Amino acid sequence: MTETTHTQKPPPGDGAKPRSPEFRLAADALQGLRQDLLHDAFAYRPMPRMRVDGPLTRRLPGRLREHAAWTPHAVIATAALFALFIGSVDTSGPALLVGPLCAIPILLTMARPVGAFWLSMAATPVVAVIGGAGEWPWMPGSLACHLTVLTVVAVRTRPRTAAWMWGVTGAYGLLADAGVGGGYYGTNTGPMMVVSAMALLCVALWHIRREARQEVTAQQTVTAQERSRRTLLEERTTIARELHDVVAHHMSVVAIQAEAAPYRVENPPPELERAFATIRENAVAALTELRRILGVVRAEDYEAPDAPQPTLADLEGLLANVRDAGLSVEKATIGAVRELPPGVELSAYRIVQEALSNSLRHAPGASARVEIGYVLGGLGLRIVNGPPPASALLKPSPGAGHGITGMRERVSMLGGEMTAGRTEDGGYEVAVFLPVATTAEDGS
């Protein structure tokens, strides 16, 4: 056996030496500088109007609120007038030229922010040369102009762009100090860099705070949606557990009757026996599958209730318990009382129970009324409570907000309709209609 070693040749054009981390860092820095300050430097980016839904602006009258949206533009225009005044007064050169050179870059920040920075940088040496003797390289007007431009552009862009602008400003100051000529009182690069650094630091902190607030708001929105979805799933699981007993009872009755039916007929034909056997097998299989599915949605600590699920016949006991808890409640029944499907009876009972629980929680000491209407085609429910009395000893306690969700799920499951909301006197009303299919017996 021979061993052969193959040496893989590098592909053509790949023979360059690997770049050092320092080189890559410098290349990334230059790429960031080109992207932030050079690429589309004079692109048109108009300043948007201010939002007027804040705690102060929302209290303003309608017309004044519309004008308040232009507050940032007015502030920038005022700063431009201030720089125009300083540049025109504190100069020995032509005021009609120095003043506009100090004001135009500030006004340009409202439309082309990065271009305004470069214009301010270009106007600074021009103002210093034609403005006469003074501190170098920033004359008073150009100093106010450049500080304003740095701050506004930093607010309108991002912290990295502000850092690049501060670095370019410092590089210009060092180059200008190296070539300073006579006739100037001294250099103001140091104060310029310190003051601008403090201003940009405040802007950066503002950016960080705003982004953190946006992230918190987005997270709260996601959390609220997840909580609502979890509540919905919990309510559906509870409904599935409760309806299991109802459905299981009917399926068990079908299986037992199908098994006993052949013995009720003397000498039944084989076809009838096979048909009843098939019915029983399908009923038992359906019951088994139902229990298996319910085992998936049941929690591990769930314990099945020993008592049967309640119906509207058990409503008097519920009302007695509510009265013992301090809620004055009366019941009114409209129409002829008749037996309804077990699912409708159970859902109606749970809706009344939850509505009265909400009345106890949110309106302690108030009175309530439960109206049950047996109408053609369904069952109507109306649970209404008055406002809590001012002399009530107990104060309303906020709930988790699951009650209305659970009632809506039950009504939606049965294809019914539900409305819930406050009444004119300050109480609360829940109105529900649960449809019930009309059978031949009902019409006879």
Side-chain angles (χ1 to χ4, degrees), residues 196-397:
S196 60
M198 294 177 62
L200 296 180
L201 179 61
C202 293
V203 173
L205 293 177
W206 175 79
H207 273 292
I208 294 173
R209 184 173 180 271
R210 185 184 64 172
E211 293 177 358
R213 181 183 300 175
Q214 292 175 350
E215 291 180 1
V216 170
T217 303
Q219 186 63 34
Q220 289 177 347
T221 303
V222 173
T223 302
Q225 293 176 352
E226 291 295 333
R227 187 184 299 113
S228 177
R229 189 179 297 110
R230 185 172 62 251
T231 300
L232 190 62
L233 293 177
E234 290 175 356
E235 293 297 334
R236 290 179 177 177
T237 303
T238 302
I239 295 172
R241 294 169 183 168
E242 293 179 348
L243 291 180
H244 164 262
D245 295 339
V246 176
V247 179
H249 169 73
H250 286 283
M251 297 301 297
S252 299
V253 171
V254 170
I256 294 174
Q257 290 183 346
E259 185 177 7
Y263 299 98
R264 297 176 180 269
V265 180
E266 186 178 355
N267 300 322
E271 293 83 1
L272 184 62
E273 291 184 352
R274 286 196 298 270
F276 280 119
T278 303
I279 293 174
R280 182 184 181 282
E281 292 175 0
N282 290 333
V284 172
L287 187 60
T288 303
E289 292 297 327
L290 178 63
R291 289 170 177 168
R292 183 180 297 113
I293 294 175
L294 186 67
V296 175
V297 299
R298 261 183 184 157
E300 295 181 358
D301 56 349
Y302 174 76
E303 295 182 1
D306 298 330
Q309 296 294 348
T311 63
L312 289 177
D314 305 313
L315 203 56
E316 290 298 335
L318 172 64
L319 299 182
N321 292 334
V322 173
R323 293 188 184 102
D324 294 339
L327 182 65
S328 176
V329 57
E330 59 179 1
K331 173 190 171 186
T333 303
I334 304 172
V337 179
R338 66 181 186 274
E339 185 178 357
L340 300 175
V344 176
E345 294 262 355
L346 172 61
S347 296
Y349 180 91
R350 293 303 186 194
I351 291 172
V352 174
Q353 183 184 38
E354 187 60 44
L356 294 178
S357 298
N358 289 342
S359 300
L360 281 171
R361 184 182 303 113
H362 299 288
S367 60
R369 178 180 175 85
V370 178
E371 297 179 1
I372 303 175
Y374 291 86
V375 297
L376 182 64
L379 177 71
L381 299 174
R382 181 176 179 267
I383 305 96
V384 59
N385 64 267
S391 59
L393 300 178
L394 298 177
K395 299 299 181 182
S397 59

Side-chain angles (χ1 to χ4, degrees), residues 26-38:
D28 293 341
L30 292 177
Q31 178 66 23
L33 173 63
R34 182 166 56 251
Q35 180 180 355
D36 292 341
L37 295 184
L38 299 179

